[in-house]
Amino acid sequence: MASGKLYGGSSMSLLLQNESRLPSSSQVLDSLWLHTSDPSSFQGSKNMVVDFENGRGSSIRDRSFFQQGLIEKEENNNNGCDDDYDPSCFQQTGSNGGNSKKRRLTSEQVQFLERSFEMENKLEPERKVQLAKELGLQPRQVAIWFQNRRARFKTKQLEKEYGALKASFDKLKGDYESLLQQNDKLKQEVNALRNKLIPRDKEDENCSSDEKSSPQDVDTINSNHNKEEDEPVMMELMISNSTSNENGSKMPLPHPIILTCKQEDANSAKSDVLDDSADSPHCTNNGNHVHHHHHFSSFMEEEPADSDDFSQDDDDNLSENLLTLPCLPKVEDNDACYHEQNENTCGFGFPVEDQTFCFWPY
DNA sequence: TAGGTCAACATGGTTC
DNA sequence: GAACCATGTTGACCTA
């Protein structure tokens, strides 16, 4: 607190505080001001008076809100001129006026301006003049106040938006990280299942060579499965995938089997495979493959296949295709699936490091 | 006394 | 070209 300035705390300032809440009581204020405007009371701070509400130092112009004329006259008697009001007295010696002092607007003036700003944050010329008149300010001061007020408003808006965006970003980041964790978990599960399936394929290979089974059993599974539920078109696709070519060699099962598979099929097949319990109704030895043989047998009865087509390659295909059954998400397909889901749910373009797997809706 | 606030100013762009 | 605006800066003032 600078010494020599009259701030709130004295009996005079208390009196001013009380009286100042009645801006219309100009006579009282005039009287008070004439008493306090004695230059000796300010000791060099000629412009400072008490800010009625905040106890802050305020300006000579603050008084103009009530009785500018009288006070200015008094001030001019002491000082010679008011540097802001008389352009001839305003000499710039830098970005701020030469001997000019920063003068805060009174709280009443600010409140008035605030209300006006709330109604309209732009200032038409007529409104500017009107406000200046009502507040006892220069139109330029009103214009400057509005400019500064808009700048402050914009800064606050930006801070708000930044806070909202940051909160949103943090939330999405958390979601993304938890998805990555889920992704890792699912990958581990898939790897575990693969490890379980591979030895079974070898067992199955021995078993099926005894029975001279056809590798078409995978297709049989699909076709039988789809016979009752799926549309004929789908079934046709599945069967055509399993037919031999003209040379008699088995054509590898392409992806359309998976791509055309309905979600319910995928889910049910998934649960069949994942349900690795020995008490499965289809299981005698190791569930899945016995299940497959059952379908294979029925298919052989209905539509005898060319058993000559069977080969070691076919058996390899069987193993390979078992891994591409609907129960196990195909990498490429699920890549697309992940993308699609990702776009639908997030769409924020995070750098997805590993999008190998799609997340099933649980 | 450092740092925040704010009135006032400077500058460059836009509009009429 | 005057008026206005957005933006950045300055310096007085205020407060912890």
Side-chain angles (χ1 to χ4, degrees), chain A residues 184-200:
Chain A
D184 287 341
K185 221 176 180 182
L186 288 170
K187 273 201 279 187
Q188 287 173 3
E189 280 184 33
V190 168
N191 283 333
L193 288 170
R194 277 200 175 131
N195 291 337
K196 281 184 184 176
L197 280 173
I198 289 168
R200 287 177 192 170

Side-chain angles (χ1 to χ4, degrees), chain A residues 109-126:
Chain A
Q109 285 171 323
V110 170
Q111 280 175 17
F112 200 92
L113 289 166
E114 287 284 356
R115 279 197 293 272
S116 183
F117 182 83
E118 282 171 16
M119 286 192 293
E120 176 63 56
N121 71 345
K122 291 284 173 64
L123 197 59
E124 300 85 23
E126 300 87 14

Side-chain angles (χ1 to χ4, degrees), chain A residues 304-321:
Chain A
D306 186 358
S307 58
D308 293 336
D309 290 340
F310 185 76
S311 65
Q312 180 61 40
D313 289 342
D314 294 335
D315 204 324
D316 291 343
N317 282 339
L318 173 62
S319 293
E320 192 179 324
N321 288 324

Side-chain angles (χ1 to χ4, degrees), chain A residues 68 92 308 351:
Chain A
Q68 182 81 40
Q92 256 182 271
D308 293 336

Side-chain angles (χ1 to χ4, degrees), chain A residues 168-169 171-174 176 342 346-353 355:
Chain A
S168 176
F169 171 77
K171 185 179 178 302
L172 285 170
K173 194 179 168 193
Y176 173 69
N342 198 27
C346 297
F348 280 82
F350 284 119
V352 180
E353 296 154 3
Q355 304 179 359

Side-chain angles (χ1 to χ4, degrees), chain A residues 172-220:
Chain A
L172 285 170
K173 194 179 168 193
D175 290 348
Y176 173 69
E177 281 167 359
S178 76
L179 282 174
L180 278 183
Q181 286 179 355
Q182 278 187 358
N183 192 10
D184 287 341
K185 221 176 180 182
L186 288 170
K187 273 201 279 187
Q188 287 173 3
E189 280 184 33
V190 168
N191 283 333
L193 288 170
R194 277 200 175 131
N195 291 337
K196 281 184 184 176
L197 280 173
I198 289 168
R200 287 177 192 170
D201 288 341
K202 288 183 180 172
E203 286 179 25
D204 194 42
E205 181 185 334
N206 298 332
C207 185
S208 58
S209 62
D210 292 341
E211 298 178 16
K212 294 279 177 188
S213 63
S214 164
Q216 290 173 336
D217 58 356
V218 174
D219 304 328
T220 309

Side-chain angles (χ1 to χ4, degrees), chain A residues 6-7 33 36-37 42 45-52 55-68 71-72 75 82-85 100-107 109-110 135-137 141:
Chain A
L6 181 61
Y7 287 100
W33 173 247
T36 57
S37 62
F42 293 89
S45 183
K46 65 181 177 64
N47 289 331
M48 300 305 298
V49 294
V50 173
D51 182 333
F52 301 133
R56 291 175 173 180
S58 192
S59 71
I60 180 70
R61 191 178 294 109
D62 298 344
R63 289 168 274 143
S64 71
F65 184 53
F66 311 117
Q67 286 295 317
Q68 182 81 40
I71 296 164
E72 272 190 54
E75 185 76 7
D82 180 11
D83 50 11
D84 277 352
Y85 278 87
S100 68
K101 298 282 181 184
K102 286 288 173 79
R103 298 158 181 181
R104 299 212 169 205
L105 305 178
T106 65
S107 57
Q109 285 171 323
V110 170
L135 295 172
L137 297 172
Q141 282 182 289

